[in-house]
């Protein structure tokens, strides 16, 4: 098709450009032809466009045009309307707007410089415009109706099975008694499999992260494991002979904490291990001979495939040892936190050229986007000290743009840029000729205008890999934060299951009220009023108010205390009365978990840090512990074990020093109390006879029940089976953080209990949050 030269654009005005286009167009037998290198290409008539009864030549032309149009639309479907390609800005010089054109008997030019053909020739409101590849294009009338979708509308009832995935994965899920996908999995998995970027949002405990993990394993199983089996390749044969200096992961998962990263790694390895075992059993059944040799080979291959799932978290190793550990495994699925991944990408250790999917879980917590009413001081502080997640995504974007994965410059933008530049140069020359005392000021203004107007339009990044963000509380602020910084492709889709969860929760609530014989009209009106008020107050986070389902499945207990001793007594009292088996305790980020575990242990309550069930030290060394590894791998394993032992010795020393300091402080407090008692026998600040100051204990130690303690930031996304209670211990809560904390129980539609024990000074904050979430707030007295 016809294309223009940039040098020609600089020398021509509007009318010259239009006339040059149509000097190459000929008209014959009620049809238009474009001259290109002594060949004539027919422009299809609108009456024949898309008609199946045309001649073969017309069909070929139409098919070629439709293919080009669809390819162009798929590549640039971030534009909401195809007619945007034809619009030239109205601010172009309009002096010659009404002048006749030598070809005016065939077409008309409107105020937007779109070329409209006269109806009696056969074209009805069809336009010829400039395509993004600087070529002439006919856009039919119905093309403007094609828009890019921002939300998905699928069936509200999920299918009966996981038919999205490979049959082997479906079999493993049935063995794990995971029969049906949840609603958000049914809505999000087809979107992810289409390859488009997406935001996945639903309330906590609905299987968002697990569904995305299933798709990652499904891709890895199909594209890597099955292909290697067909080619009779083992994982070790895929490595190159030259020593590698960087890793090339196919999938990267970013989480806010190392605990959540370990959980993703456990999920991936558990599912992949089951898949490989079933695959090996089928192969052994087909080959009955040499079963012992096959079993040994299969076990070694399983370890090599499982070791390709690695963690990039703070596991006590130095950066050099961690890099050697990851290099020895040949990572395919890398899971880590932003503070560890960022330096690895900056120094080139992580190569993203083979990346297929980038998944960010708990995106709102990772980026911590500011609301519109944030103070200028806070914004300046963030700009001076950006988060590791922001640095990481800016570096990823920079690497992608270096490979020229950006949008092509629009031909219309190029015309506007050159015309504005010429106009500003002309006005600048005129102002230089003036002789007045305001010449300098006018020059400064002209330079400022030139910097603003001549500035080229930003060309967005087109990532060759897929990017998925998920969280239960991705609101307007987080989406805007991501979109404004060009961290996601412009054709991203927003997938949400909050509306269906809200409707189902309200229907269940109404059914319960009808069964109890209660009238719900007044209550519904009050709830609607509260929702409207909350929406007005929280415009930046409208998602928080919609999460009714999990709230209605929980039983809340609120206990106000005045000291740490009373807080521990509240835990013991609740434990003895309600008798939970598995519970999670959430503490503020500045708490000392080991000390609180010691105090609860003295009271016969079995408590452990959450990290105690997660083996960070040996997770990445699975392949190094195999008997068939070479000597280099054995030496590396010894170095890792030595460093782990040194770290344990250093931590034990630190703990002993802290214990000494704590014992000294206790002695000083006792001495001060004794002196006060000697000076005034009537004063007694700490009387053990008062119930509030007594240390309550359980009757006996029960090893079958356990309380896992973790900090607020490290608890996000954690999924532990059979958790019936969540203890929120003196945490300064907000609506979004409270939803994530209570989501550790009542998962997948089950019921749970929330026990909030806090200092009386923050009681008003709890009251405010409970009103925002429509949770009844009734404090209980511990004594």
């Amino acid at each position: 098709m016809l294309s223009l030269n940039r040098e020609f654009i600089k020398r021509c005005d509007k009318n010259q450009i239009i006339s040059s286009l149509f000097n190459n167009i000929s008209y014959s037998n009620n049809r238009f032809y474009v001259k290109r290198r002594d060949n004539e290409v027919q422009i299809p008539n609108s009456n024949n466009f898309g008609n199946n009864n045309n001649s073969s030549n017309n069909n070929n032309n139409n098919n070629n045009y439709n293919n080009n149009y669809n390819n162009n639309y798929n590549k640039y479907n971030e534009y909401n309307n195809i007619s945007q390609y034809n619009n030239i800005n109205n601010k172009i010089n309009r002096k010659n707007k009404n002048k006749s054109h030598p070809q005016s008997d065939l077409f008309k030019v409107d105020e937007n410089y779109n070329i409209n053909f006269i109806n009696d020739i056969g074209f009805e409101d069809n336009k010829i415009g400039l395509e993004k590849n600087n070529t002439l294009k006919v856009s039919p009338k119905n093309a403007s109706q094609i828009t890019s979708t921002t939300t998905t509308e699928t069936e509200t009832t999920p299918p009966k099975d996981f038919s999205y995935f490979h049959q082997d994965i479906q079999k493993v899920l049935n063995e794990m008694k995971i029969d049906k996908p949840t609603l958000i999995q049914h809505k999000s998995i087809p979107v992810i499999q289409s390859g488009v970027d997406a935001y996945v949002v639903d309330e906590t405990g609905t299987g968002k992260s697990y569904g995305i993990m299933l798709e990652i394993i499904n891709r890895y199983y199909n594209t890597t494991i099955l292909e290697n089996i067909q080619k009779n390749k083992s994982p070790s044969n895929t490595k190159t002979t030259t020593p590698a200096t960087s890793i090339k992961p196919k999938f990267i998962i970013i989480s806010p904490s190392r605990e959540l990263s370990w959980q993703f790694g456990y999920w991936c390895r558990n599912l992949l291990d089951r898949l490989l075992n079933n695959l090996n059993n089928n192969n052994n059944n087909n080959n009955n001979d040499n079963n012992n040799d096959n079993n040994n080979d299969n076990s070694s291959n399983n370890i090599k495939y499982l070791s390709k799932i690695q963690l990039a978290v703070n596991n006590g190793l130095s950066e050099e040892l961690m890099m050697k550990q990851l290099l020895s495994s040949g990572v395919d699925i890398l899971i880590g936190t932003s503070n560890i991944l960022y330096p690895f990408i900056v120094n080139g250790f992580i190569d993203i050229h083979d990346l297929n999917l980038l998944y960010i879980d708990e995106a709102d917590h990772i980026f911590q986007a500011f609301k519109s009413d944030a103070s200028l001081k806070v914004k300046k502080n963030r700009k001076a000290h950006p988060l590791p997640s922001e640095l990481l995504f800016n570096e990823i974007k920079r690497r992608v743009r270096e490979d020229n994965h950006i949008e092509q410059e629009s031909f219309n933008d190029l015309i506007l840029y050159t015309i504005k530049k010429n106009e500003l140069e002309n006005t600048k020359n005129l102002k230089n000729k003036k002789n007045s005392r305001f010449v300098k000021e006018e020059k400064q203004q002209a330079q400022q205008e030139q910097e603003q107007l001549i500035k080229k339009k930003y060309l967005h990044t087109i990532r060759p890999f897929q990017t998925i963000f998920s969280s239960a509380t991705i609101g307007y602020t987080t989406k805007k934060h991501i979109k404004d910084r060009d961290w996601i492709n412009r054709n991203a889709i927003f997938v949400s299951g909050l509306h269906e969860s809200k409707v189902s929760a309200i229907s269940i609530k109404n059914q319960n009220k009808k069964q109890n014989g209660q009238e719900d009209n007044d209550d519904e009106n009050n709830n609607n009023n509260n929702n409207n008020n909350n929406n007005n107050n929280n415009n930046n986070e409208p998602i928080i108010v919609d999460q009714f389902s999990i709230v209605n499945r929980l039983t809340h207990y609120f206990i106000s205390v005045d000291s740490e001793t009373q807080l521990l007594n509240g835990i013991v009292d609740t434990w003895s009365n309600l008798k939970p088996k598995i519970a999670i305790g959430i503490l503020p980020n500045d708490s000392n978990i080991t000390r609180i575990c010691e105090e609860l242990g003295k009271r016969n309550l079995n408590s452990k840090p959450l990290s105690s069930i997660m083996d960070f030290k040996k997770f990445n060394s699975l392949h190094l512990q195999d008997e068939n590894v070479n000597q280099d791998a054995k030496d590396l394993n010894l170095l890792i074990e030595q460093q782990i032992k040194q770290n344990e010795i250093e931590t034990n020393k630190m703990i002993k020093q802290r214990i000494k300091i704590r014992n000294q402080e206790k002695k000083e407090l006792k001495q001060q109390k004794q002196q006060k008692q000697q000076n005034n026998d009537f004063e007694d600040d700490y009387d053990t006879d008062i119930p509030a100051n007594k240390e309550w204990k359980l009757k006996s130690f029960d090893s079958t029940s356990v309380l896992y303690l973790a900090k607020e930031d490290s608890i996000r996304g954690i999924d532990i089976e059979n958790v019936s209670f969540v203890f929120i211990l003196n945490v300064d809560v907000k609506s979004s953080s409270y939803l994530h904390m209570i989501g550790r129980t009542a998962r997948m539609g089950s019921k749970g209990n929330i026990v909030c024990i806090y200092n009386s000074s923050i009681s008003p904050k709890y009251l405010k949050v409970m009103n925002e979430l429509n949770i009844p707030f009734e404090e209980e007295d511990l004594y």
Side-chain angles (χ1 to χ4, degrees), residues 36-191:
R36 183 178 63 183
R37 294 182 182 178
D38 298 331
N39 293 326
E40 289 186 347
V41 180
Q42 180 181 335
I43 300 177
N45 190 299
S46 65
N47 296 327
N48 297 328
F49 188 86
N51 190 353
N52 295 326
N53 297 323
N54 295 337
S55 62
S56 61
N57 292 330
N58 290 335
N59 286 330
N60 291 330
N61 289 330
N62 292 335
N63 290 331
N64 292 332
Y65 168 73
N66 287 327
N67 290 331
N68 293 331
Y69 173 77
N70 289 329
N71 292 331
N72 187 56
Y73 174 72
N74 290 329
K75 193 172 182 181
Y76 300 101
N77 62 353
E78 65 273 9
Y79 292 94
N80 292 332
N81 200 321
I82 300 300
S83 63
Q84 290 181 5
Y85 300 156
N86 305 329
N87 292 334
I88 300 178
N89 201 315
N90 298 333
K91 295 181 180 179
I92 299 175
N93 186 6
R94 302 192 183 190
K95 292 181 180 179
N96 299 322
K97 175 181 176 182
N98 298 323
K99 288 185 179 180
S100 62
H101 196 274
Q103 305 261 356
S104 60
D105 57 335
L106 299 179
F107 63 90
K108 293 180 180 179
V109 182
D110 61 9
E111 59 180 359
N112 290 326
Y113 302 102
N114 290 322
I115 303 159
N116 299 324
F117 286 88
I118 300 173
N119 292 334
D120 57 358
I121 298 175
F123 281 77
E124 295 179 0
D125 296 332
N126 285 339
K127 298 178 180 180
I128 284 187
L130 298 173
E131 207 172 12
K132 292 185 80 66
N133 56 0
N134 301 348
T135 59
L136 206 65
K137 174 180 77 74
V138 176
S139 61
K141 186 176 181 179
N142 58 1
S144 62
Q145 299 175 358
I146 302 174
T147 57
S148 62
T149 57
T150 56
T151 58
T152 57
E153 294 182 1
T154 57
E155 297 178 359
T156 56
T157 57
K160 296 181 180 180
D161 56 2
F162 287 92
S163 57
Y164 328 99
F165 304 131
H166 194 275
Q167 294 180 356
D168 295 345
I169 295 179
Q170 296 181 43
K171 183 179 178 181
V172 169
L173 292 175
N174 289 329
E175 293 174 356
M176 298 170 66
K177 297 181 179 180
I178 303 175
D179 301 327
K180 298 179 182 179
T182 62
L183 179 63
I184 189 61
Q185 290 174 351
H186 169 56
K187 296 180 72 174
S188 63
I189 291 172
V191 173

Side-chain angles (χ1 to χ4, degrees), residues 198-227:
Y199 305 91
V200 181
V201 180
D202 198 5
E203 63 181 17
T204 58
T206 54
K208 301 182 299 297
S209 304
Y210 198 81
I212 298 170
M213 184 276 302
L214 289 175
E215 172 57 21
I216 291 174
I217 296 299
N218 181 53
R219 293 187 188 183
Y220 184 66
Y221 185 70
N222 287 323
T223 59
T224 303
I225 296 177
L226 294 181
E227 285 186 1

